[in-house]
Amino acid sequence: MATLPDLNLLITLDVLLSEGSVAKAARRLRLSPSAMSRALARLREVTGDPLLVRAGRGLVPTPHALDLRERVAPLVREAEAVLRPAEGLDLARLTRTFTLRTREGFVESFGVALVNRVAREAPGVRLRFAPKPDKGSTPLRDGAVDLETGVVGDSMGPEVRAQALFRDRFVGVARTGHPLGQGPLTPARFAAARHIAVARREHDADRRHAPVDAALEPLGLTRDVAVIVGDFSAALTLARATDLVATVPERHTLTLREGLFSFALPVDVPEITVSLLWHPRLDADPAHRWLRGCVREVCAA
């Protein structure tokens, strides 16, 4: 394997060629004259050229040094720019497309406020909302997705960053005028109604792991599940036009539930925390930080 060149020598070469003096170059780089002389000897060895030669009491550059001076200076300036802290974000001139992966209901409940906020602050930014068929973090890892919302689970990669957006609770939903809206709502009455279960994948249909079923089990009750669908939107569509009852997150489906009868569950079901997820490589990106702030503020409103 070839030995990598010492790139620090580029800075030394740039200063030596611009100053034309070992003593002046040493002062500029805060080195001793002897250390600078050793650096010049190393440069001569690496380039195979004397670079600076004695002429009277001073030094003059060789033809090769003159050629290098024109090439080295831009390289050093570019390297300094790369290592300089990121410049301030100019939202008015920002042109970029961000992909957000969310579950159904997020766009309906928070999308309008987010789109209006982004359009007002950064009109050149385009948002792409992608569906979220699973909880895997591969799209974040490979860069296909910039941001994601959801409940942190075991399938999320350990390197993924997460920040809480809001707490949510499950509520029951039925059509207006549904019998459950008449009289006291007991766990027994709730369980006896015909229900819609939400399961994104086939093995999720094992309802023993659903929060509401886990809460009913100690009471010796089970839901009468008549239909299994893949998302909240489909569950609410069926609940709107039938006597079936859906159980969905309250804030996440706020807009989707308009015109429906929503009620507190008659059993204690743990709340969930909906989080904002992203890959750590985007932590310091100014535009990404700005968008994360927009999403947080919109969801907190």
Side-chain angles (χ1 to χ4, degrees):
M1 181 177 177
T3 302
L4 293 175
D6 182 359
L7 297 181
N8 288 319
L9 289 174
L10 284 175
I11 298 175
T12 305
L13 179 60
D14 179 48
V15 174
L16 273 169
L17 295 181
S18 64
E19 295 292 346
S21 164
V22 171
K24 290 180 180 179
R27 284 195 297 270
R28 184 166 155 187
L29 291 178
R30 299 181 181 179
L31 296 174
S32 65
S34 59
M36 183 56 68
S37 295
R38 290 195 297 272
L40 176 56
R42 177 72 178 129
L43 282 166
R44 286 168 170 164
E45 178 185 350
V46 170
T47 62
D49 188 87
L51 298 175
L52 295 172
V53 296
R54 182 69 56 186
R57 301 183 62 182
L59 298 173
V60 295
T62 65
H64 184 53
L66 293 174
D67 178 55
L68 288 177
R69 184 167 61 186
E70 301 302 319
R71 296 159 56 192
V72 169
L75 282 175
V76 173
R77 302 294 90 76
E78 187 172 346
E80 290 173 345
V82 168
L83 297 176
R84 192 177 301 129
E87 296 180 1
L89 181 64
D90 186 352
L91 291 175
R93 299 176 61 184
L94 180 62
T95 302
R96 189 160 164 182
T97 297
F98 291 100
T99 298
L100 290 79
R101 198 168 81 128
T102 64
R103 283 207 67 177
E104 69 286 347
F106 184 89
V107 174
E108 291 84 351
S109 297
F110 305 105
V112 173
L114 181 59
V115 167
N116 288 339
R117 167 83 177 262
V118 169
R120 184 171 62 251
E121 297 185 11
V125 167
R126 179 170 59 181
L127 299 179
R128 175 178 176 265
F129 291 99
K132 185 177 179 179
D134 57 63
K135 293 185 178 181
S137 55
T138 300
L140 287 174
R141 189 180 297 116
D142 64 19
V145 169
D146 296 287
L147 277 176
E148 188 169 310
T149 61
V151 178
V152 175
D154 295 337
S155 60
M156 190 182 81
E159 78 280 12
V160 173
R161 300 283 193 266
Q163 188 172 53
L165 287 176
F166 56 87
R167 299 278 290 174
D168 209 346
R169 66 168 186 163
F170 286 96
V171 294
V173 183
R175 64 170 176 80
T176 302
H178 192 281
L180 284 182
Q182 308 300 318
L185 181 58
T186 64
R189 284 190 67 206
F190 172 73
R194 304 191 76 208
H195 291 263
I196 307 162
V198 178
R200 284 184 288 185
R201 293 164 297 185
E202 186 175 351
H203 67 267
D204 291 338
D206 182 357
R207 292 183 290 108
R208 291 173 299 177
H209 302 297
V212 65
D213 293 300
L216 287 168
E217 189 175 15
L219 303 176
L221 299 171
T222 57
R223 286 188 299 170
D224 176 12
V225 174
V227 178
I228 300 172
V229 296
D231 55 59
F232 301 135
S233 180
L236 293 171
T237 297
L238 291 176
R240 192 181 297 275
T242 68
D243 278 339
L244 298 174
V245 176
T247 301
V248 299
E250 184 177 31
R251 285 199 64 192
H252 211 275
T253 61
L254 182 63
T255 303
L256 294 176
R257 290 184 292 106
E258 287 182 357
L260 287 166
F261 165 51
S262 299
F263 55 91
L265 297 176
V267 289
D268 291 330
V269 176
E271 289 187 337
I272 58 174
T273 299
V274 177
S275 297
L276 188 61
L277 312 172
W278 69 94
H279 195 273
R281 71 173 175 278
L282 295 170
D283 263 344
D285 178 52
H288 197 272
R289 284 204 308 267
W290 162 76
L291 182 62
R292 297 198 303 264
C294 290
V295 176
R296 284 195 303 271
E297 291 177 22
V298 162
C299 290

